[in-house]
Amino acid sequence: MSTFTGDETAPFFGFLGAAAALVFSCMGAAYGTAKSGVGVASMGVMRPELVMKSIVPVVMAGVLGIYGLIIAVIISTGINPKAKPYYLFDGYAHLSSGLACGLAGLSAGMAIGIVGDAGVRNDTVTRSSSVTKLLLFVSWIQSPTLGPV
């Protein structure tokens, strides 16, 4: 007699959701960091005194991977079929929340990368303030945490 209760294939979908949250969020973070980093490198050539001001998009994009990691840990700690029954509904719920967080992180990373690169290149020419871009980055970076809700 087995001590397992619930569906035996359900944890597969739950762990797949945790992996999706982590992988897609890290892909978005990597893309945002790389794309923004190109803009920072071009600013460093033209106006080296503004490099530290233009590093904000790179940091914001890097935080997306941490959000994916947090959601993946929350999902994976909720999967313990020996402690409580874990049914297919739970597995699909964890899969969908992981996909929501991961894909939101991917899209936010792409948005941060594109706007961060263009904004940093714009700052080299116009000497404008980055307050508007900073508000955009903060609103975009919150999307992965609100995705699973």
Side-chain angles (χ1 to χ4, degrees):
M1 177 161 162
S2 169
T3 60
F4 186 84
T5 57
D7 296 317
E8 292 184 3
T9 58
F12 169 75
F13 295 108
F15 285 119
L16 190 64
L22 185 62
V23 168
F24 288 133
S25 290
C26 287
M27 285 173 57
Y31 181 82
T33 301
K35 186 87 168 147
S36 297
V38 169
V40 171
S42 71
M43 176 177 269
V45 171
M46 292 185 250
R47 308 260 318 268
E49 68 272 7
L50 296 177
V51 169
M52 290 311 288
K53 178 183 164 187
S54 64
I55 204 85
V56 172
V58 176
V59 174
M60 292 288 192
V63 172
L64 292 173
I66 296 170
Y67 282 157
L69 176 67
I70 291 169
I71 296 298
V73 167
I74 289 171
I75 290 173
S76 64
T77 56
I79 303 170
N80 189 3
K82 297 198 183 205
K84 65 180 181 87
Y86 192 79
Y87 297 108
L88 277 175
F89 177 81
D90 301 319
Y92 290 144
H94 285 150
L95 174 63
S96 62
S97 64
L99 282 173
C101 174
L103 294 176
L106 180 63
S107 61
M110 293 181 76
I112 287 173
I114 292 168
V115 172
D117 181 34
V120 165
R121 289 178 191 261
N122 185 35
D123 285 349
T124 60
V125 178
T126 62
R127 296 180 185 234
S128 67
S129 174
S130 296
V131 174
T132 306
K133 288 187 289 287
L134 182 63
L135 291 174
L136 284 173
F137 293 144
V138 169
S139 66
W140 284 331
I141 206 164
Q142 293 301 320
S143 64
T145 57
L146 299 176
V149 175

